[in-house]
Amino acid sequence: MGTRIVSRIFIGVMVCIVLSGCTKEVDTGGVQRLVVAVTSEADTLDPHKTISGSCNFVMREIYDPLVTKDNEGRFQPGLAESWVISDDGTTYRFTLRKDVKFTDGTQFDANAVKFTFDRLMDRRQLRLPGVIESALESVTI
């Protein structure tokens, strides 16, 4: 490849890089927006009905878990501010945050968590029946 061709390619790449930062300012009426690109469209936003990586990526951004893991793999509080595991490892007791509301204003509480786990145990609701309900026996408040 000649020096002239390499120079033209280099200049073309540099122009593209510089212009990629140039955007037209759009009036959003005071609403802040975040645009995220994903490799494929989510087929559902129901976390109980998919195992798709694209869906999981999107759902991690819009749903909060009871607990989460940090970069070292340790469990950290999420919607549960704390939890206790029985000595035999079969019972988990969660203390839920009181400062959380759903987008419609409904207060987040133990009934919402129970509903979610009950739904997880319903084979008709799951994409992969047998996985969750075999690990859960019951959910009580």
Side-chain angles (χ1 to χ4, degrees):
M1 215 184 265
T3 306
R4 182 174 281 187
I5 293 173
V6 172
S7 295
R8 286 183 181 173
I9 291 172
F10 177 76
I11 291 170
V13 169
M14 294 308 292
V15 167
C16 289
I17 290 171
V18 169
L19 291 179
S20 69
C22 299
T23 60
K24 180 181 175 187
E25 188 172 320
V26 177
D27 180 16
T28 61
V31 175
Q32 294 182 345
R33 297 174 192 254
L34 173 65
V35 178
V36 178
V38 293
T39 57
S40 62
E41 188 173 334
D43 61 350
T44 181
L45 293 179
D46 184 342
H48 302 160
K49 294 194 180 284
T50 188
I51 58 170
S52 162
S54 295
C55 292
N56 289 332
F57 175 82
V58 172
M59 288 185 283
R60 277 193 309 260
E61 301 303 318
I62 59 176
Y63 298 125
D64 292 326
L66 284 177
V67 297
T68 187
K69 281 188 177 180
D70 63 18
N71 291 335
E72 284 77 43
R74 295 180 303 237
F75 288 103
Q76 299 295 325
L79 292 172
E81 59 186 32
S82 63
W83 57 94
V84 176
I85 304 171
S86 65
D87 291 338
D88 64 1
T90 62
T91 302
Y92 291 67
R93 183 178 299 252
F94 294 96
T95 301
L96 304 177
R97 291 176 38 197
K98 295 180 181 6
D99 62 336
V100 178
K101 292 187 179 189
F102 290 99
T103 56
D104 69 354
T106 304
Q107 186 68 41
F108 168 72
D109 61 11
N111 289 315
V113 175
K114 181 174 180 354
F115 174 83
T116 299
F117 279 106
D118 287 345
R119 189 166 182 259
L120 277 169
M121 291 187 297
D122 182 350
R123 292 181 70 83
R124 297 169 297 177
Q125 299 293 331
L126 297 176
R127 174 78 183 260
L128 293 174
V131 175
I132 297 294
E133 72 268 28
S134 66
L136 281 173
E137 185 177 299
S138 67
V139 179
T140 56
I141 299 177

